[in-house]
Amino acid sequence: MSSTIVRPEARKGPAKVSSPVYGEGRGGVPIANAVIAKKRPRGRGVAVVKVYAGPIEVFDYLKGSTVIERHRLVSKGLPKKALEDAIHWFDEIPKQVVLDAIGISQKTVDRKDQDEPLNPQHSNALFSLLEVSSLAESILGSKQLAEQWMNSPAIGLDGAKPISLLGTGPGVEAVKDLLSRIDYGVYA
C-alpha cells in the first residue's frame, strides 16, 4: 500500500493518465492501481507515479469522473458509511482526530441512520480529508508517512497540524500548497 515514483527518460507531449485497475486489498476493500504521468517543471521529462489504494480510489461513491459530479455528491451529502470507511481507512490517525477534522461529534454520528447522508459541510470536510490524504500519500511515498505527516505540526503551516486545517477552504488550500512545495523541494 505504498506509492513509488519512477522517473523515465524525458519525453515530449501532454501528460497522460491511465485508467485505474481495481482489485481487492485488505479485508476485501477495493484498491486502485493507477499509473499517473505528469509533466515535471522546466521540461525535465515526466514523472510516473504509481498509486496503490488511495482513499479517493477506494470509496466507490467518490469515484466521480468529473469535478461537477463530485460537487453534486458532496452537495447532497456523503453517506454515513463514507465516514465510517474513512475512520477505518486511517491506521495512524485516531478516530477522534478524524471526527474533529470533519467537525462532527461521535454522538451525532451515532444518531444517524446508516443511509442518512452527512450534511454538505461535513461531506465537504470529509472529501477534503480524503483528497488531501491521497495527495500526501502520492507525494510522500507511503500511506504511513502521509498519515504521520498529516497528524504532526508543520513548520510551513505555522506549527499547525495539516489535519486540523481541513475543515475550511483556506485551510485545505494551505495544506495542498504545502504539499505542492514539498513535491518540488521547497519545504518551508
Side-chain angles (χ1 to χ4, degrees):
M1 298 241 188
S2 64
S3 301
T4 58
I5 297 178
V6 181
R7 300 197 193 298
E9 62 276 351
R11 45 184 160 158
K12 298 189 184 229
K16 295 181 181 175
V17 179
S18 71
S19 298
V21 177
Y22 296 95
E24 284 194 9
R26 127 182 95 151
V29 174
I31 63 170
N33 180 3
V35 178
I36 302 165
K38 61 180 183 178
K39 285 186 142 183
R40 297 301 292 172
R42 296 176 289 284
R44 285 194 240 149
V46 175
V48 177
V49 181
K50 198 168 189 178
V51 182
Y52 294 99
I56 294 296
E57 291 86 5
V58 168
F59 305 131
D60 287 338
Y61 29 78
L62 295 180
K63 282 195 252 174
S65 61
T66 68
V67 174
I68 298 300
E69 288 174 353
R70 289 179 180 183
H71 163 76
R72 288 182 185 132
L73 192 60
V74 168
S75 293
K76 72 178 179 180
L78 295 175
K80 176 184 173 184
K81 184 171 177 5
L83 175 60
E84 292 170 348
D85 289 351
I87 289 169
H88 294 297
W89 171 259
F90 294 108
D91 297 325
E92 305 279 329
I93 300 175
K95 178 181 183 177
Q96 190 57 49
V97 173
V98 172
L99 293 175
D100 290 345
I102 294 166
I104 192 169
S105 70
Q106 183 62 55
K107 283 187 176 185
T108 302
V109 173
D110 292 341
R111 278 194 307 266
K112 287 191 175 291
D113 292 331
Q114 192 66 24
D115 296 331
E116 187 178 352
L118 301 172
N119 69 35
Q121 179 184 0
H122 295 144
S123 295
N124 188 50
L126 176 58
F127 182 79
S128 295
L129 172 66
L130 297 174
E131 183 180 38
V132 168
S133 174
S134 184
L135 181 62
E137 183 178 338
S138 70
I139 290 171
L140 300 175
S142 75
K143 180 178 178 242
Q144 181 181 12
L145 286 175
E147 290 182 24
Q148 289 171 355
W149 178 82
M150 287 177 57
N151 203 24
S152 301
I155 294 171
L157 299 172
D158 293 334
K161 293 180 180 180
I163 195 166
S164 70
L165 300 175
L166 299 179
T168 66
V172 172
E173 192 176 319
V175 174
K176 286 181 176 180
D177 180 59
L178 179 59
L179 282 167
S180 178
R181 292 185 308 185
I182 289 170
D183 192 27
Y184 289 102
V186 182
Y187 297 103

